[in-house]
Amino acid sequence: MPAQLLPHPGGQPPDRPALTLAEDIAIPLARLSEVCGASRRSFAIWLARATKGPVIWISPSWEPDQLHAEGIRDFTDPGRFLFIRPKRPEDILWSLEEVLRSGAVALVVGDLPGLPGLTAVRRMHLAAETGAAEGAHSPIGLILTPGEGGAQGIETRWRMTPRHAGNLRRWQLSRLRARTRPPKDWMIAQDRPGAAPYSLSERALQESV
């Protein structure tokens, strides 16, 4: 599904440019967003599919649960991913900030073992804005957090959980927080590995026209 700028009700421009994945599902550019839930990594790879160029994925070196190429291939080309695996928790946040500040890639993902502090989040927002002004991209910063998430100061917070039924690939996606949008739920589907995920309600609307 092609990425586009987020439309705003009433035809007014959005507060911030954003990358749209499906019906009203958009991640602001040059800001830091958060995803929690058991399928948070699937959401991040879905977002990666909507971007172009390399994707930098930062995760703790001590965590045995790392991305696998076959799982990435279900959504996009695993050859696009560059992995950074710091040995210290503080180096994960430092790496995120530096990549955002460079503006060298459209998406940088931080798979965090816990919640970052408010100061770190603010620094990453500023770094992303610097990257947008001085680099090649308006970078999206995405942090994956355990449990129900809850990082302070993030631009948007999402939760994605599996709702698969047999061979049917389904997820429930919830927008838990956004500065300019209310909370909302979607059912996301993927017809087959490698295909673009989509909102079931959006597909139903398209087929009814």
Side-chain angles (χ1 to χ4, degrees), residues 69-99:
E70 290 302 317
I72 298 174
R73 190 173 288 113
D74 285 352
F75 296 89
T76 189
D77 177 10
R80 298 175 55 209
F81 286 70
L82 302 174
F83 295 99
I84 300 174
R85 292 180 176 148
K87 295 182 178 180
R88 300 184 304 170
E90 57 268 32
D91 290 338
I92 301 174
L93 299 179
W94 179 86
S95 298
L96 271 165
E97 185 179 334
E98 290 302 303
V99 174

Side-chain angles (χ1 to χ4, degrees), residues 30 52-54 100 102-107 128 130-140:
K52 295 181 179 180
L100 288 169
S102 74
V105 296
L107 174 63
T130 298
E134 301 177 2
H137 299 274
S138 293
I140 293 173

Side-chain angles (χ1 to χ4, degrees), residues 122-193:
R122 287 174 172 168
R123 288 178 63 91
M124 284 186 273
H125 282 314
L126 292 174
E129 292 173 357
T130 298
E134 301 177 2
H137 299 274
S138 293
I140 293 173
L142 189 69
I143 56 173
L144 314 184
T145 54
E148 290 297 305
Q152 298 181 59
I154 49 86
E155 190 74 15
T156 61
R157 178 180 301 118
W158 307 80
R159 179 178 61 225
M160 191 163 174
T161 54
R163 291 292 184 269
H164 307 314
N167 293 327
L168 299 176
R169 301 165 65 89
R170 303 286 187 269
W171 300 267
Q172 181 175 328
L173 176 64
S174 301
R175 182 172 58 213
L176 303 178
R177 180 185 187 279
R179 295 183 186 276
T180 60
R181 292 289 186 274
K184 187 174 179 179
D185 297 317
W186 296 262
M187 188 61 69
I188 305 301
Q190 188 183 38
D191 291 337
R192 65 186 186 283

Side-chain angles (χ1 to χ4, degrees), residues 21 34-49 55 57-60 62-68 71-76 81 83 85 107 109-114 142-147 158-162 164 169 171-173 197:
L21 297 177
E34 176 187 15
V35 186
C36 60
S39 298
R40 58 191 180 275
R41 295 180 182 93
S42 295
F43 181 92
I45 304 171
W46 179 22
L47 178 59
R49 179 191 177 94
V55 174
W57 190 286
I58 305 170
S59 61
W62 62 89
E63 287 287 351
D65 187 16
Q66 302 286 351
L67 282 188
H68 190 270
I72 298 174
R73 190 173 288 113
D74 285 352
F75 296 89
T76 189
F81 286 70
F83 295 99
R85 292 180 176 148
L107 174 63
V109 179
D111 196 347
L112 306 185
L142 189 69
I143 56 173
L144 314 184
T145 54
W158 307 80
R159 179 178 61 225
M160 191 163 174
T161 54
H164 307 314
R169 301 165 65 89
W171 300 267
Q172 181 175 328
L173 176 64

